[in-house]
Amino acid sequence: MCGIVGVVSNAPVNQLIYDALLLLQHRGQDAAGIVTQQERKFFMHKAKGMVRDVFRTRNMRALPGNVGLGQVRYPTAGNAFSEEEAQPFYVNAPFGIVLVHNGNLTNAYSLRSELFLTDHRHTNTESDSEVLLNVFAHELERATRDVSLHVDNVFDAVGAVHKRIKGSYAVIALIAGHGLLAFRDPYGIRPLSIGRAADGSAMVASESVTLEGTGHAFERDLLPGEAVFIDLQGQLHSRQCAQSSSLHPCIFEFVYLARPDSVMDGISVYQARLNLGESLAKRVISTLPPTEIDVVIPIPESSRPSATQLAHLLGIPYREAFVKNRYVGRTFIMPGQGVRKKSVRQKLNVIASEFKGRNVLLVDDSIVRGTTSREIVQMARDAGASKVYLASAAPPVRYPNVYGIDMPTPSELVAHGRTVEEVRQIIGCDALIYQDVEGMKKAIHSLNPSLAGFDASCFDGVYVTGDIDADRIAAINEGRASVTEDSEDTSRLALPNSQEA
C-alpha cells in the first residue's frame, strides 16, 4: 500500500504536498518523495524514511514551483531496501514525465520483457511502478508522434495502458510543461479522489482526509478506468478510458488501511467499521454466551470502532486497556522470536487492573500472521485475565493479496489451510471468533449499494482481475519485498504515529 498526492496551484506547492504526505503517512513508512515543476524543469527529492525525516528545510527550499506530486511508500514488490525504488520515478521522453503509483501490477514480469524487446525501453529497478511509467511513456509517445500534445492524446495513451497492464493502480503523473494526470484501474481497486481549495488549487489524493486536511473541498472519487487531466491553468478534463469498468474497491481499505475519517467511494470508513462491529456482535453471540464476557478491549488502533459497537450491542463494558507507545520509533527485527516478542511489548503495554480476574474479549481488525495476536493474548494472561477470548472484525486471511497490500505468501498466513480451532490453538486464546466473509461484505456494501462488489481476495480467494492463479501468485511472490534480519519492523505496532488518534 502507498499514499499518493498531486497538486496544481497558483502558489508554491512544496509545503502543501509535505502536509498532504503527513496525512497519508499511515499508508507507507518505508520511503517518501516529492517532485515539483517550475516552468519545464522538475525538482525532486526522495529517500527512505518517514516524511518528517526525509524532508528538511534545505530539501524543501530546493522544491520550487506551483505544480507537484508526492508519495509515501510501503514496499510490496521489488527491492524494499533500495533508495532507487523510492518514488516518484522519472523518464525524459516524451516531454518529461514523473509518476507515482499506488497498487501492484500482476503482469509486471512479462511487461518488463516486452518493454525491452519490443518497445526498446530500459528499466533500472525491480519496481513495477517504473514498468508502469515506461508503458505509459511509450503509449504517450505513440499517441503524440508528429503532433503537438493535446489532452485527447493523453487520454488515448491511458486507454492503451489499460489494455496492456493488469492489476491494481491509482496513478498520478506530471507531464512537463503541460499538466497533471491521474487515472485509476478499471476495477477501482485502489482509491483516488479529487478536490479544490477556495483559491482554485486542485488536488488529487489517495484519501479524502488529505483533501480536507489541506483546505480542499472533496468533490468526488475518480471512477474506475477514468482519467483526469488538470492543465497548468487549473482546468480539469476527464474521460472514461477503459473499454469496460466496474467498481470493486479493496475491502481491506475499510477494514484497516484507510484512516477512519476518510470517505471512499461513497462509504465512510468509520461507519464501515461500526457496521463490522455490529455484524461481529452477532457472531460472538452465536459462539460465546455474552454472560461469559466481563469486558471488551480493543487492540489499538483500527479495531476501536468495531469494538465500541460490539460492546454497546452486547451490553458489556468497553475499556481501553492496551496503551500504545507512540514514541518508541522503529526497531530492528533481531534473530530469534524472543527478541521479536520483546519489541511488541515495548510498543504496547497493559493496564493490569482491567484484566485481573476477568474474562476479556479482545477485538482486533484482522489477524494475518498471528504472531502479534499470540503475544498480545499472552500479555493479557500475564496481566491476570481469567479467560482471554479474541474476536476479529475481518474473516480469516487465507489467501495472498496481489494488489498492493503486503499480505505474505500462503505459508506465512496463520489461517491458510487451517481450521478456526487450529488457529485458536496457535494463538493460545480460549475462544476465537471471526467475522464471516458474507457478513463483512454485507456490512460495508449496505453503505453504498451501487458498488458492483469488492476485491476481497485475501479472504475469499476471488481475484477480480481474472488473471491470477497459483503459478501467477508464485511468480509475484518471487518479486515480493522480503523481510530480513536487518529489516525494520513495519507492523502496525511499529508505527510511532497511528492512523487514529
Side-chain angles (χ1 to χ4, degrees), residues 98-284:
V98 288
L99 176 146
V100 289
H101 164 219
N102 174 32
N104 193 55
L105 304 189
T106 56
N107 64 337
Y109 181 82
S110 60
L111 281 172
R112 188 174 283 109
S113 176
E114 195 175 288
L115 282 168
F116 179 74
L117 297 173
T118 306
D119 299 344
H120 301 156
R121 299 190 72 93
H122 172 69
T123 56
N124 203 48
T125 71
E126 298 302 312
S127 172
D128 63 329
S129 301
E130 190 188 16
V131 171
L132 195 160
L133 169 60
N134 276 274
V135 170
F136 171 69
H138 178 77
E139 297 302 335
L140 185 62
E141 188 171 33
R142 290 181 60 185
T144 57
R145 191 165 294 162
D146 300 324
V147 298
S148 299
L149 185 140
H150 186 272
V151 66
D152 287 336
N153 306 133
V154 177
F155 291 150
D156 289 344
V158 174
V161 168
H162 285 324
K163 293 176 183 177
R164 291 184 65 179
I165 66 178
K166 302 289 186 182
S168 64
Y169 47 97
V171 175
I172 304 174
L174 285 179
I175 304 174
H178 292 280
L180 182 145
L181 169 70
F183 59 94
R184 200 173 175 194
D185 71 70
Y187 294 93
I189 298 172
R190 301 262 73 87
L192 203 57
S193 57
I194 188 167
R196 281 192 183 270
D199 63 2
S201 169
M203 176 179 284
V204 184
S206 294
E207 295 190 29
S208 63
V209 67
T210 315
L211 305 172
E212 296 157 0
T214 56
H216 292 74
F218 171 81
E219 290 187 350
R220 66 182 180 89
D221 298 286
L222 270 69
L223 299 173
E226 182 186 20
V228 167
F229 185 79
I230 305 170
D231 61 33
L232 299 181
Q233 290 70 47
Q235 185 174 354
L236 187 147
H237 313 261
S238 66
R239 187 208 284 182
Q240 175 55 256
C241 296
Q243 290 181 331
S244 63
S245 62
S246 60
L247 185 54
H248 286 78
C250 172
I251 205 164
F252 210 72
E253 292 277 358
F254 303 99
V255 170
Y256 167 67
L257 294 182
R259 274 181 47 152
D261 42 349
S262 284
V263 176
M264 291 181 166
D265 296 311
I267 295 175
S268 160
V269 175
Y270 182 74
Q271 186 61 54
R273 291 174 186 170
L274 290 177
N275 285 14
L276 288 173
E278 182 174 342
S279 180
L280 183 60
K282 298 173 184 176
R283 296 283 294 179
V284 170

Side-chain angles (χ1 to χ4, degrees), residues 301-365:
E301 308 267 356
S302 309
S303 64
R304 282 173 172 156
S306 297
T308 303
Q309 188 74 341
L310 183 151
H312 172 72
L313 292 172
L314 296 185
I316 298 170
Y318 169 92
R319 293 289 186 270
E320 294 278 353
F322 287 107
V323 179
K324 185 176 177 183
N325 184 353
R326 300 178 186 276
Y327 307 103
V328 71
R330 307 279 285 278
T331 62
F332 287 95
I333 299 174
M334 304 299 287
Q337 185 68 14
V339 177
R340 188 180 182 92
K341 289 182 178 180
K342 180 183 177 183
S343 72
V344 172
R345 290 177 180 263
Q346 287 173 338
K347 298 178 182 77
L348 205 64
N349 196 30
V350 299
I351 301 174
S353 59
E354 297 297 335
F355 291 92
K356 191 171 184 179
R358 291 177 171 177
N359 295 343
V360 300
L361 175 63
L362 307 181
V363 179
D364 208 349
D365 52 72

Side-chain angles (χ1 to χ4, degrees), residues 2-6 17 21 31-37 42-48 54-55 63 67-73 82-91 97-102 125 127 129-131 133 171-174:
C2 300
I4 59 176
V5 62
I17 296 174
L21 292 182
I34 293 176
V35 165
T36 58
Q37 176 186 305
F42 291 135
F43 300 84
M44 181 187 300
H45 179 69
K46 60 181 182 177
K48 285 179 62 64
V54 169
F55 298 101
L63 294 169
V67 183
L69 49 74
Q71 193 229 32
V72 288
R73 178 176 186 255
S82 170
E83 292 272 354
E84 296 301 317
E85 296 210 359
Q87 296 187 38
F89 281 108
Y90 165 77
V91 291
I97 305 169
V98 288
L99 176 146
V100 289
H101 164 219
N102 174 32
T125 71
S127 172
S129 301
E130 190 188 16
V131 171
L133 169 60
V171 175
I172 304 174
L174 285 179

